[in-house]
């Protein structure tokens, strides 16, 4: 004979289970926030504090203008320290705003090139037979098994006048004399697109691979040409992958230092090289910190605004 539990006992157990699930969800949500607090906000505050400091001949080469360990007096000193003289200096020297503009330009063009190259690759991978897809994905991520620095150094040997590219073009009869590619902006574009192309391909592949093929068949049945079907169905459905890939390429490309330093020339102006010069050559840590804070704000604010717009659009669609 089955034994039935009292209704109040069952209700108590359900409430206890829901409470445990609620605690588990809160812990799960809290973990990334704690991670950001420790590894993002804390370093950002240190850099921001340094940007309000004064340069000094010492180790480290700056003099803090406030100390929060002093309690209320430290907060008062913080308010008084907000003269932003290092930030004002950035507006007075053309080097810095030109570095920002040049970095945004190089990152934008590189992102567009990565999209134009990466989309056909991701589309072909998504349309490939299922037994080949894992192998194709492995080939895309295969370069990550090698050091980033070694891969960039390899392009030095490829792009120089005596390098493989010029040798191959002359052997094929395409050119009569070696081209000057290394130490130019063209070499920087090649290096960035090559290095960050997997970050564009993988999000696109993840979206395209899950796309419902019945929609394409329905469009064909209704008389749409393959090109029109691609533009009105495939592109809109793959838009989340396009946006994710563009962010993943654009954000690190803006602050790139290794590629412009190794492949670019003296005329290659990017904010990453300017930061390195200020930190290690000029040893002006306060100004370099101000440059880093402005760069971070330039990257974070558009992302936050975009996310807010997406949330608003989702609520309106819902």
């Amino acid at each position: 004979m089955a034994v039935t539990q009292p209704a109040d006992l069952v209700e108590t157990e359900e409430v206890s289970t829901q409470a445990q699930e609620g605690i588990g969800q809160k812990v799960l949500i809290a973990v990334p926030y704690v991670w950001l607090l420790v590894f993002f906000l804390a370093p950002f505050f240190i850099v921001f504090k340094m940007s309000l400091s004064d340069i000094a001949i010492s180790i480290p080469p700056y003099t803090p203008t406030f100390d929060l360990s002093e309690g209320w007096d430290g907060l008062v000193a913080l308010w008084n320290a907000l003269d932003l003289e290092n930030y004002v200096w950035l507006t007075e020297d053309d080097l810095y705003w030109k570095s920002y503009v040049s970095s945004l330009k190089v990152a934008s063009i590189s992102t567009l090139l990565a999209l134009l190259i990466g989309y056909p690759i991701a589309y072909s991978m998504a349309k490939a037979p299922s037994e080949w897809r894992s192998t194709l994905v492995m080939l895309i991520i295969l370069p990550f098994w090698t050091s980033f620095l070694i891969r960039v150094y390899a392009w030095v040997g490829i792009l120089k006048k005596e390098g493989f590219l010029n040798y191959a073009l002359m052997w094929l009869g395409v050119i009569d004399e070696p081209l000057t590619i290394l130490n130019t902006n063209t070499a920087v574009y090649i290096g960035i697109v090559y290095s960050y192309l997997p970050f564009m391909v993988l999000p696109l592949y993840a979206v395209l691979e899950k796309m419902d093929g019945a929609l394409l068949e329905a469009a064909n049945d209704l008389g749409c040409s393959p090109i029109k079907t691609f533009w009105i169905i495939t592109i809109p459905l793959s838009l989340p992958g396009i946006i994710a890939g563009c962010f993943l390429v654009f954000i690190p490309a803006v602050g790139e230092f290794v590629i412009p330093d190794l492949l670019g020339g003296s005329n290659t102006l990017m904010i990453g090289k300017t930061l390195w010069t200020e930190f290690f050559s000029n040893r002006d840590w306060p100004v370099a910190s101000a440059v880093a804070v402005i760069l971070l704000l330039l990257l974070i604010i558009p992302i936050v605004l975009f996310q807010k717009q997406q949330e608003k659009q989702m609520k309106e669609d819902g």
Side-chain angles (χ1 to χ4, degrees), residues 102-119:
S102 178
S103 296
L104 293 173
K105 174 186 173 183
V106 171
S108 300
I109 295 176
S110 300
T111 302
L112 178 61
L113 292 174
L115 177 61
L116 295 177
I117 297 172
Y119 199 100

Side-chain angles (χ1 to χ4, degrees), residues 177-244:
E177 57 183 15
L179 300 175
T180 302
I181 303 175
L182 189 62
N183 299 327
T184 64
N185 285 341
T186 301
V188 175
Y189 289 130
I190 293 173
I192 292 178
V193 172
Y194 162 77
S195 299
Y196 294 109
L197 186 61
F199 294 105
M200 179 66 73
V201 172
L202 294 177
L204 286 171
Y205 168 75
V207 174
L208 292 171
E209 194 268 338
K210 296 178 181 179
M211 190 171 59
D212 189 1
L215 297 175
L216 303 179
E217 295 178 359
N220 292 329
D221 292 340
L222 293 174
C224 286
S225 63
I227 296 178
K228 187 176 181 180
T229 300
F230 177 79
W231 282 108
I232 67 175
I233 294 181
T234 304
I235 291 293
L237 291 179
S238 62
L239 193 59
I242 294 175
I243 295 173

